[in-house]
Amino acid sequence: ESVKVMTADGGFLTIPVEEMGLAYRTSVVEQKNYIVLEAVISLEKGNPEKIKEVMDDLKEKRVTKQPLEYASARVLAELRHKDTLVIGDAGLRGFRVGDAQVSEKHCGFVINRGNASAAEIMELMRQVEDKVEENSGVRLEAEVRRIGEF
C-alpha cells in the first residue's frame, strides 16, 4: 500500500503505491536512489492448496537452477539478452577472483567459495562486465546497489 523511504539528503517520505511507478526491475525508489525503511503490504486470503502448489513449484525451480549450496547473490544481469547465455558464451562459467566465483550452475549468480571479500566480488563483477562486453557488445547491468568504495 505504501513505503517509507529515506532520501539522498537524509529526509523521509511516505510514498503511496499509486506513486511508486512499479514496473519490472524499477520503481521511483530505484530511480531516485531512495532507501526503503518500511513497507505496508495488503494481503488477500487465498486457497492454501493452490498456494502450496505454487510455492513447491518455485522451490523446485530454485533448487535446480540456483547455487543454493553457497552464499550467493544474483548480481549480474542485463535487459536485452539472457545473462546466462552472454556470460557463459564469454567463457566465464566458474570464473574466479579469489573466493568470489561466477556460479557454474547459473552464470547470473556470484557465489562465495569461502572467504570472498566485497572487493573480490566487485572486481569479479567488473571483469565479467568487461569481458562480456568485449565478447558480445552487451554491457551487463548489476542488479545490486553498490554503496561505498571497494
Side-chain angles (χ1 to χ4, degrees), residues 74-90:
R74 181 175 167 96
V75 296
L76 299 167
E78 49 75 39
L79 301 175
R80 291 169 289 158
H81 301 285
K82 252 190 160 333
D83 57 356
T84 52
L85 294 178
V86 294
I87 295 170
D89 287 350

Side-chain angles (χ1 to χ4, degrees), residues 80-121:
R80 291 169 289 158
H81 301 285
K82 252 190 160 333
D83 57 356
T84 52
L85 294 178
V86 294
I87 295 170
D89 287 350
L92 297 170
R93 186 176 300 275
F95 177 71
R96 287 177 72 163
V97 171
D99 269 355
Q101 178 181 356
V102 174
S103 171
E104 294 181 35
K105 197 175 208 180
H106 186 309
C107 290
F109 283 80
V110 171
I111 63 174
N112 184 340
R113 299 209 42 99
N115 293 303
S117 66
E120 288 173 337
I121 293 168

Side-chain angles (χ1 to χ4, degrees), residues 50-142:
K50 287 186 180 183
I51 292 170
K52 182 164 180 3
E53 281 180 32
V54 171
M55 290 174 62
D56 289 346
D57 182 54
L58 292 172
K59 180 180 178 182
E60 177 65 22
K61 287 178 181 174
R62 274 193 310 276
V63 167
T64 59
K65 296 181 180 181
Q66 296 179 10
L68 300 178
E69 63 274 21
Y70 295 99
S72 67
R74 181 175 167 96
V75 296
L76 299 167
E78 49 75 39
L79 301 175
R80 291 169 289 158
H81 301 285
K82 252 190 160 333
D83 57 356
T84 52
L85 294 178
V86 294
I87 295 170
D89 287 350
L92 297 170
R93 186 176 300 275
F95 177 71
R96 287 177 72 163
V97 171
D99 269 355
Q101 178 181 356
V102 174
S103 171
E104 294 181 35
K105 197 175 208 180
H106 186 309
C107 290
F109 283 80
V110 171
I111 63 174
N112 184 340
R113 299 209 42 99
N115 293 303
S117 66
E120 288 173 337
I121 293 168
M122 294 287 107
E123 179 60 19
L124 175 87
M125 291 171 61
R126 187 192 63 71
Q127 288 188 37
V128 168
E129 290 166 352
D130 290 347
K131 289 177 183 185
V132 165
E133 186 171 32
E134 182 181 304
N135 186 64
S136 67
V138 172
R139 186 69 186 177
L140 295 175
E141 186 177 297

